[in-house]
Amino acid sequence: MTGGQVDKYTDEVKHLIEQRLRIKGATLEKALSRSGRLLPKWAQREGRYLAQAGQFMGHPKLRLMIDEAKVEKAHKNLVEHLSAIDPSDRRKTRVLGTLGVVSFNLIIVAVVLVSFLMWRGYL
């Protein structure tokens, strides 16, 4: 495995994070740290391993510590997971969740107002 191939893997994963999660970062490490809870723990762990492998490829002795099969597996798993994320579906879910909370709060306020008016004898 060459350093260029690992760099290609990290660039592809970073591009998918920017495209699917709308998170920008100068490097893959920055993008992963900004993703927070949007990615599961296993994806965070594999992304960190991929970023670390990219750093180790620049050093001749540390290059021997890299497990090529693990790098390829991490890349494959991350690409599959990030490709399955639909940005418009995430946005729609977020908007519907917010509208649900607002409508529930309005219903509670209306019930409290009506019960107060009945208690005071205005209804």
Side-chain angles (χ1 to χ4, degrees), residues 11-21 79 82-83:
D11 288 342
E12 182 180 3
V13 170
K14 185 175 82 75
H15 176 70
L16 280 173
I17 289 174
E18 289 177 355
Q19 183 183 27
R20 300 295 180 153
L21 299 178
V79 167
L82 290 170
S83 297

Side-chain angles (χ1 to χ4, degrees), residues 43-56:
Q44 292 273 350
R45 185 172 47 250
E46 289 189 356
R48 282 192 305 267
Y49 183 78
L50 193 61
Q52 186 181 31
Q55 290 176 348
F56 282 1

Side-chain angles (χ1 to χ4, degrees), residues 23-85:
I23 295 173
K24 299 210 183 287
T27 62
L28 178 60
E29 298 146 344
K30 293 279 186 187
L32 285 170
S33 67
R34 288 183 181 168
S35 67
R37 294 183 347 193
L38 296 177
L39 286 176
K41 283 191 182 252
W42 66 266
Q44 292 273 350
R45 185 172 47 250
E46 289 189 356
R48 282 192 305 267
Y49 183 78
L50 193 61
Q52 186 181 31
Q55 290 176 348
F56 282 1
M57 288 305 277
H59 195 277
K61 288 188 179 181
L62 293 178
R63 179 183 296 206
L64 301 174
M65 294 175 50
I66 298 172
D67 183 12
E68 295 177 8
K70 190 173 179 182
V71 168
E72 290 177 3
K73 181 181 173 190
H75 172 258
K76 183 179 81 72
N77 289 339
L78 284 169
V79 167
E80 284 178 4
H81 178 70
L82 290 170
S83 297
I85 295 173

Side-chain angles (χ1 to χ4, degrees), residues 89-115:
D89 187 43
R90 285 185 59 237
R91 187 173 36 251
K92 183 173 43 173
T93 303
R94 192 174 345 139
V95 167
L96 288 175
T98 303
L99 288 175
V101 168
V102 168
S103 63
F104 178 75
N105 287 335
L106 286 175
I107 290 170
I108 295 296
V109 168
V111 166
V112 168
L113 179 66
V114 168
S115 62

